[in-house]
Amino acid sequence: MDITPMVPTGRQIIESYGAGRFRVSGAVFEGSILVFPDRSVPWSAGTPDEITIDSLEEVARAGAEGQIEVLLLGCGLRMALVRGELRRSLRDAGVVIEPMDTGAACRTYNVLAAEGRKVAAALIAVQ
């Protein structure tokens, strides 16, 4: 599924997702990923239960440095609730977390990135 909008130069754009992988700004990633405005990196979480503050340490650091304000959490095929301690830890770092299914998180990330917002996405791969 192609979901490419117009995005400012130098910003990461999620071009496609599915079959256990993502294509972001021309690069293919197998498995789950973290997408920041300027880079994308593999992510260890494969299910919502594996999402911890440690797995999102890079997100918290980016928030504390003022690089991002919103984290879109793609939970897989269905949205999952975010544990209170995870939400509080990220909020303390200046990041608001918004859980949704992975497809919605990809589309929303692209819209917010196109608007120039300080957004990141933590995306669990879907088949």
Side-chain angles (χ1 to χ4, degrees):
M1 175 179 301
D2 187 3
I3 57 169
T4 310
M6 296 295 292
V7 175
T9 303
R11 299 279 262 175
Q12 295 288 284
I13 180 71
I14 302 167
E15 297 167 342
S16 66
Y17 64 94
R21 69 178 66 95
F22 297 89
R23 188 174 71 230
V24 182
S25 297
V28 175
F29 295 85
E30 296 290 332
S32 301
I33 61 171
L34 297 174
V35 181
F36 295 92
D38 61 342
R39 69 194 180 288
S40 296
V41 296
W43 185 36
S44 61
T47 68
D49 291 336
E50 296 173 3
I51 301 169
T52 65
I53 192 60
D54 288 338
S55 75
L56 294 173
E57 179 182 344
E58 195 169 352
V59 171
R61 187 171 46 253
E65 294 171 357
Q67 297 171 3
I68 64 167
E69 296 171 346
V70 176
L71 174 67
L72 303 172
L73 178 61
C75 300
L77 293 175
R78 291 181 180 79
M79 189 204 73
L81 296 176
V82 176
R83 291 185 303 277
E85 66 272 8
L86 178 60
R87 187 178 294 278
R88 281 187 296 279
S89 293
L90 288 173
R91 187 176 29 221
D92 290 347
V95 178
V96 174
I97 186 169
E98 294 293 338
M100 55 193 73
D101 66 77
T102 293
C106 290
R107 293 184 297 274
T108 304
Y109 173 87
N110 285 346
V111 169
L112 295 178
E115 294 174 353
R117 301 275 304 273
K118 293 181 178 182
V119 62
L123 305 169
I124 293 176
V126 296
Q127 292 300 318

